[in-house]
Amino acid sequence: MALDKSIGVGMIFIASFVFLYYSIWVFILPFINESSFIQQFFLPRDYAIKLPLLLLLLSGLFVGIFVGKVLIKNQQKQKSKKKSQ
């Protein structure tokens, strides 16, 4: 198996685990007694909103930084082409 395929399979397993963990945390855990041993494997419920919001904000920040860098590089390329003509 090639390296890129094994990385892809690993990413699928990680994404599946995160989806399953979050789904159990949000949809099933509120109906389980708070004194149950299962509760110790999950964060408090208020993080169920805070963590995805934080991830959304960070991903938006990184996309914005990436787009900004690409625009700056393209502008610099165009300036260097105009100077060479």
Side-chain angles (χ1 to χ4, degrees):
M1 185 184 273
L3 180 63
D4 57 343
K5 287 185 181 181
S6 60
I7 290 173
V9 169
M11 290 172 65
I12 287 174
F13 281 126
I14 290 171
S16 298
F17 173 76
V18 169
F19 176 77
L20 186 64
Y21 180 88
Y22 188 79
S23 296
I24 291 171
W25 185 25
V26 171
F27 297 120
I28 296 174
L29 213 60
F31 300 107
I32 296 176
N33 191 2
E34 289 188 18
S35 62
S36 176
F37 74 97
I38 294 173
Q39 295 279 351
Q40 70 185 5
F41 297 112
F42 296 90
L43 292 172
R45 283 189 208 121
D46 56 332
Y47 287 109
I49 299 297
K50 292 177 183 177
L51 287 177
L53 182 62
L54 177 66
L55 291 174
L56 182 67
L57 291 173
L58 286 176
S59 62
L61 175 70
F62 287 126
V63 167
I65 289 172
F66 175 74
V67 169
K69 283 188 174 189
V70 168
L71 290 174
I72 290 171
K73 274 189 176 182
N74 284 340
Q75 189 177 24
Q76 288 174 349
K77 274 186 187 178
Q78 288 177 353
K79 282 184 180 179
S80 67
K81 280 185 181 180
K82 286 182 181 180
K83 286 183 181 180
S84 65
Q85 290 177 352

